[in-house]
Amino acid sequence: MKKDFHPEYNPVAFQDMTTGTRYITRSTAKSDKIEQIDGVDHYIISAGVTADTHPFFTGQKQFVDTAGRIDKFQKRFGAVRRAGKPKLK
């Protein structure tokens, strides 16, 4: 096997930003924040959505306001017109 071919495999704790639940595993991902858990230094990586908060796993349905999003899009980009295709002669 080649030396220094594979990335470093480190102990990592993925932390849910909403609930604070941690999933301790190993990964090649790193972060600046390091914490000692059970005597081992783990990189702490914040995750926005995990199994603890994802609607598929929690069974909660979320209402998405599509009309509000369309209005917001029109307000931001409504005046911008797309350039037409050049006409062939």
Side-chain angles (χ1 to χ4, degrees):
M1 280 183 38
K2 293 180 182 179
K3 286 188 175 186
D4 302 325
F5 182 72
H6 294 284
E8 225 177 285
Y9 203 53
N10 306 304
V12 173
F14 290 98
Q15 184 171 4
D16 191 311
M17 292 169 44
T18 307
T19 62
T21 304
R22 288 187 177 170
Y23 296 94
I24 298 173
T25 184
R26 295 177 57 84
S27 175
T28 57
K30 291 184 179 181
S31 72
D32 295 333
K33 188 175 179 184
I34 298 174
E35 226 175 271
Q36 195 172 52
I37 302 171
D38 295 331
V40 179
D41 288 337
H42 287 74
Y43 289 102
I44 306 296
I45 299 176
S46 296
V49 177
T50 63
D52 201 34
T53 56
H54 194 280
F56 179 79
F57 296 108
T58 61
Q60 296 175 349
K61 293 185 179 182
Q62 294 178 350
F63 176 73
V64 178
D65 180 22
T66 55
R69 292 197 305 178
I70 292 169
D71 292 339
K72 186 177 178 181
F73 178 83
Q74 290 296 339
K75 189 187 300 182
R76 288 179 70 191
F77 301 107
V80 178
R81 297 287 178 196
R82 185 183 266 184
K85 291 183 180 179
K87 294 182 181 180
L88 299 175
K89 292 182 182 178

